[in-house]
Amino acid sequence: MKAVTIVTGILTAILGLVAMFMPVRIFLTLGWLIGIVLMINGVEMSISGFSGKKNVWQGILGIIVAIGGLILLCDLGARVFTDVMIAAFVGASIIVSGIYLIVNAVANFKKSKGMAVLYIILAVLEILAGAFAMMHPLLTMLSVGIIIAVNLLMQGISLTAVGFSMEK
């Protein structure tokens, strides 16, 4: 187990290093991953829905989901559209987080005016960053790709360290 953990950690760290040099390509694999997950989920739903006297509608929905996954895997345009939408959703989620931060700051304004003002300033910056992310999906893809690469590198180093610390 120790050797497997060390090798897995080293391979993950190498993947993180490789990902550092192609962060947009790493981001663009998310469309593939979503297609694969949809295929697997659709097949599972179909098997579950059609087995025995289960819900036939679940089986039909499973077929539709699997077809959607297949389209995503086979159609470059659908994959690119999905990747751009993921980038837009990253920006939208940052904006929603900023709005939530403003609402929370206003609700707690009486408790600490200084903290509330600081939260509002940070929230406005967060909303601006989210808007920027939505207007520039390529930069968002690059940023998220770098975050994924750094995460892989850190996980690989951590897993390798855990492997070396394991007893035989």
Side-chain angles (χ1 to χ4, degrees):
M1 187 68 178
K2 179 177 181 170
V4 171
T5 304
I6 292 170
V7 169
T8 303
I10 291 170
L11 291 175
T12 304
I14 290 170
L15 179 62
L17 286 173
V18 170
M20 288 282 203
F21 294 103
M22 51 179 109
V24 173
R25 181 172 277 176
I26 293 299
F27 180 87
L28 294 176
T29 61
L30 295 176
W32 280 97
L33 291 174
I34 291 171
I36 291 167
V37 168
L38 286 174
M39 289 278 298
I40 293 169
N41 191 19
V43 169
E44 185 274 327
M45 286 173 66
S46 296
I47 291 170
S48 177
F50 291 128
S51 65
K53 294 203 175 205
K54 298 281 181 176
N55 187 357
V56 173
W57 291 109
Q58 180 183 353
I60 293 170
L61 179 61
I63 291 171
I64 294 169
V65 168
I67 291 171
L70 186 63
I71 290 170
L72 198 52
L73 289 173
C74 296
D75 184 19
L76 177 64
R79 234 178 7 265
V80 170
F81 178 76
T82 301
D83 291 329
V84 170
M85 287 297 100
I86 292 170
F89 282 127
V90 167
S93 67
I94 293 170
I95 291 171
V96 169
S97 175
I99 292 169
Y100 172 76
L101 196 58
I102 289 174
V103 170
N104 197 18
V106 169
N108 293 314
F109 192 76
K110 290 183 182 179
K111 290 181 184 176
S112 175
K113 290 182 173 99
M115 289 301 288
V117 170
L118 177 63
Y119 283 161
I120 290 171
I121 291 169
L122 293 174
V124 169
L125 291 173
E126 191 172 5
I127 291 169
L128 291 172
F132 183 80
M134 290 185 75
M135 290 186 286
H136 301 285
L138 188 58
L139 289 176
T140 303
M141 291 176 190
L142 177 68
S143 301
V144 172
I146 290 171
I147 290 169
I148 292 169
V150 168
N151 191 345
L152 285 169
L153 183 61
M154 290 185 327
Q155 285 181 357
I157 292 169
S158 176
L159 195 55
T160 304
V162 166
F164 280 118
S165 69
M166 294 172 81
E167 293 182 19
K168 288 186 178 183

